[in-house]
Amino acid sequence: MRISNRVGKTPALRWNSWFVDLGLKQLGYKYVSIDDCWSQESCNGSGYLVPDPSKWPNGIRAVVDKIHGMCLKFGLYSDAGIETCAGHPGSQGYEQQDADLLGSWGVDYWKYDNCYTLCNGENPVPQRCCIPRDSQAWYTTLGNAFRSVNYPILYSLYSWGLDNVWTWGGSMCLKAGPTRQTGYYT
């Protein structure tokens, strides 16, 4: 589901090195998005996400500027839990810090997964699980953080079709207004 405010008109397309040459840009695809493992396996001493220098020798901002120079938009991935699905740092407890960092880099799209969050009350250890649970609070925390960032970011709530995201996901985005962010969830 998409909020009608001009952002996210087409499905977000993942990385394709022939993006422009194949004519995908002319068909309306605008987002070049990098999934898990783009960051180092730990944050820096201040808790900030750090791009893996072997993959991003000039940093994220240099790549974003190049993508924007091609009239395309750039996206990254993270997680509502303490780790991403592949074990890199998640955003739990650092939502505002991560939102501010993304805005400073000019990131246009943020895929937000749901790994390493609490699965149920019986097992309080965060873990990967594919069972319905109440994930609305995790997604709302980052949604609130995005509201204070003065940069429009397409916020993709990814929960593998669980947790009835389609019933509440759009409402958190409507509060932000059409110039700040929009919601897209799967």
Side-chain angles (χ1 to χ4, degrees):
M1 180 176 178
R2 180 182 69 79
I3 309 303
S4 296
N5 66 351
R6 299 184 317 251
V7 179
K9 287 183 178 181
T10 59
L13 184 67
R14 296 285 174 252
W15 171 252
N16 182 320
S17 60
W18 301 284
F19 197 93
V20 175
D21 293 343
L22 289 176
L24 296 174
K25 179 179 165 187
Q26 288 71 28
L27 292 174
Y29 291 95
K30 302 287 183 210
Y31 293 92
V32 177
S33 184
I34 308 302
D35 215 287
D36 208 343
C37 304
W38 62 269
S39 71
Q40 288 186 337
E41 292 184 11
S42 60
C43 293
N44 69 16
S46 300
Y48 282 94
L49 296 168
V50 179
D52 183 331
S54 68
K55 298 173 185 172
W56 312 95
N58 298 316
I60 296 291
R61 185 65 205 214
V63 175
V64 170
D65 290 345
K66 186 167 186 164
I67 297 292
H68 285 170
M70 298 167 66
C71 297
L72 297 169
K73 295 179 183 260
F74 182 80
L76 287 173
Y77 162 96
S78 189
D79 196 274
I82 58 171
E83 294 180 6
T84 66
C85 295
H88 290 255
S91 291
Q92 187 176 36
Y94 296 92
E95 290 87 355
Q96 187 63 58
Q97 189 169 306
D98 289 355
D100 292 341
L101 183 62
L102 296 173
S104 75
W105 285 342
V107 172
D108 304 292
Y109 173 88
W110 190 241
K111 177 185 172 186
Y112 207 47
D113 213 333
N114 202 9
C115 291
Y116 288 99
T117 52
L118 296 175
C119 287
N120 59 49
E122 296 171 15
N123 186 355
V125 178
Q127 58 190 291
R128 293 184 209 181
C129 63
C130 293
I131 60 172
R133 64 217 171 206
D134 184 13
S135 61
Q136 183 173 358
W138 300 314
Y139 289 119
T140 301
T141 300
L142 183 64
N144 289 337
F146 277 144
R147 285 184 201 24
S148 68
V149 175
N150 195 20
Y151 190 83
I153 297 172
L154 178 60
Y155 179 28
S156 177
L157 312 178
Y158 193 79
S159 69
W160 315 303
L162 302 172
D163 307 329
N164 298 316
V165 173
W166 53 91
T167 64
W168 51 263
S171 66
M172 77 172 68
C173 301
L174 290 173
K175 295 176 192 172
T179 60
R180 287 290 184 97
Q181 70 175 13
T182 188
Y184 179 83
Y185 42 87
T186 55

